Amino acid sequence: MRVLNSVVALREQLGEERSQGRRSALVPTMGFLHEGHLSLVDRARQLADLVVMSIFVNPLQFGPREDLAAYPRDLERDLALAAERGVDVVFAPSAEEMYPTNPPQVTIHAPRLSDRLCGRFRPGHFEGVLTVVAKLFNVIEPDIAVFGQKDFQQSVLIRRMCQDLNMPVQIEVAPIVREADGLALSSRNVYLSPEERRAAPTLHRALRAAQSLVAQGETDAGRVRAAAHEVLAAEPLIQTQYLELVDPLALDDVQQVRPGDVLALAAFLGRTRLIDNTVLG
Ligand code: AMP
């Protein structure tokens, strides 16, 4: 496995691979790898000859009061896990390498989709995400990029960016990997106290309550949301930030549930903000 920190060296390496006709798949991450990230590597491996992983805690997608400084990092461990899982190339740039002129003057903004769900509470977040993903696409020129359904809104925005800006990258979205008790794996789970960790699977239980109502034939979005809300409200350690039932393309609220609609939530456990979602129907 090669580990590269500079754009120039990476371009050189990948240019060579491309000239030999090897198709590449990119797995963008912020590191502190867990099985969720590694499942994306497995998917990438199935789809391409060369698996490239980026590890970069992107300052542009953190708000001023968010956890950029505290975000967990362990590059050495990440590199061992990536190598073991069969990643071919890791790109781990510094913030200066990615943003030599900071702040960038040209960014990617998708207000209509960004202002929904998480974006309502994280102004500028998706502008940061889209901008760094566009930069990674320009530097790496992958044929495929693999993202997780865990960050549902992010995957919708990235697909739309590729469509609207004619970026020739095939976007793949892999299912959410969970702990045995249902908690979605997240680098931020390490922030949870033991009590919060015990309460955290309630997020998934709430989504499951909604799912089973839909499986019984319920199509009224208000009643489906209420079923999930009731489960969340019963856990005093959870403060729900949003719980919304949306269509998977425009992210508009729906009144009648149709197959493919998504119930998405964000909630605080203490100071830790977690997200989760499920596809209904
Ligand atoms: P992050 O390092 O949190 O920015 O995540 C990098 C990629 O891993 C994103 O595409 C996430 O959606 C994906 N990811 C994070 N957690 C999970 C999970 N539990 N299951 C599947 N994919 C995940």
Side-chain angles (χ1 to χ4, degrees):
M1 185 179 79
R2 290 192 167 229
V3 183
L4 299 165
N5 309 112
S6 90
V7 169
V8 170
L10 184 72
R11 279 214 168 109
E12 197 176 315
Q13 168 79 27
L14 296 179
E16 220 164 277
E17 304 278 0
R18 208 170 301 120
S19 70
Q20 289 167 21
R22 302 184 78 192
R23 280 170 59 80
S24 64
L26 169 66
V27 177
T29 80
M30 297 205 300
F32 211 67
L33 301 181
H34 51 62
E35 197 51 38
H37 299 114
L38 297 171
S39 74
L40 307 185
V41 171
D42 294 345
R43 179 75 167 266
R45 185 84 274 163
Q46 291 168 352
L47 298 170
D49 310 304
L50 188 80
V51 178
V52 182
M53 173 184 275
S54 59
I55 299 180
F56 179 59
V57 182
N58 174 33
L60 209 61
Q61 71 188 65
F62 285 77
R65 275 187 289 276
E66 293 185 353
D67 57 344
L68 174 61
Y71 196 83
R73 293 164 168 89
D74 190 341
L75 186 59
E76 218 169 291
R77 179 173 157 274
D78 287 348
L79 295 180
L81 288 170
E84 197 179 300
R85 204 59 165 241
V87 172
D88 298 298
V89 178
V90 169
F91 179 47
S94 64
E96 294 71 31
E97 182 70 12
M98 284 304 273
Y99 299 110
T101 50
N102 195 28
Q105 293 301 300
V106 179
T107 59
I108 298 190
H109 194 36
R112 212 179 155 281
L113 291 172
S114 298
D115 293 349
R116 309 277 302 121
L117 305 172
C118 288
R120 253 173 67 208
F121 303 95
R122 303 188 70 187
H125 170 68
F126 288 111
E127 189 178 350
V129 169
L130 292 176
T131 301
V132 80
V133 170
K135 285 169 73 77
L136 291 169
F137 285 2
N138 285 334
V139 169
I140 293 164
E141 298 183 51
D143 297 283
I144 299 161
V146 188
F147 296 86
Q149 171 71 19
K150 161 90 184 331
D151 295 80
F152 157 66
Q153 186 175 13
Q154 168 176 288
S155 68
V156 171
L157 274 151
I158 288 166
R159 265 192 212 288
R160 192 58 198 251
M161 172 176 77
C162 290
Q163 196 182 321
D164 287 357
L165 299 182
N166 298 82
M167 293 182 172
V169 183
Q170 176 188 329
I171 304 301
E172 291 288 324
V173 179
I176 301 176
V177 177
R178 299 179 179 281
E179 301 280 6
D181 62 10
L183 175 64
L185 298 192
S186 164
S187 305
R188 289 188 168 100
N189 289 350
V190 294
Y191 296 150
L192 299 171
S193 71
E195 295 73 37
E196 289 162 356
R197 175 63 189 81
R198 272 192 288 279
T202 306
L203 303 182
H204 181 235
R205 281 205 295 118
L207 297 174
R208 287 220 330 259
Q211 263 172 348
S212 65
L213 204 57
V214 171
Q216 288 162 37
E218 182 61 75
T219 59
D220 180 83
R223 282 202 282 269
V224 172
R225 273 182 67 235
H229 195 263
E230 196 180 317
V231 176
L232 294 172
E235 174 47 68
L237 290 182
I238 291 179
Q239 274 90 49
T240 305
Q241 188 178 52
Y242 72 77
L243 174 68
E244 291 188 44
L245 213 168
V246 300
D247 82 81
L249 289 178
L251 305 180
D252 287 331
D253 286 327
V254 301
Q255 307 304 318
Q256 289 293 117
V257 181
R258 278 184 301 201
D261 287 343
V262 174
L263 183 62
L265 64 81
F268 280 95
L269 285 97
R271 292 165 58 157
T272 305
R273 182 179 179 277
L274 299 180
I275 58 173
D276 204 344
N277 69 84
T278 189
V279 180
L280 296 170

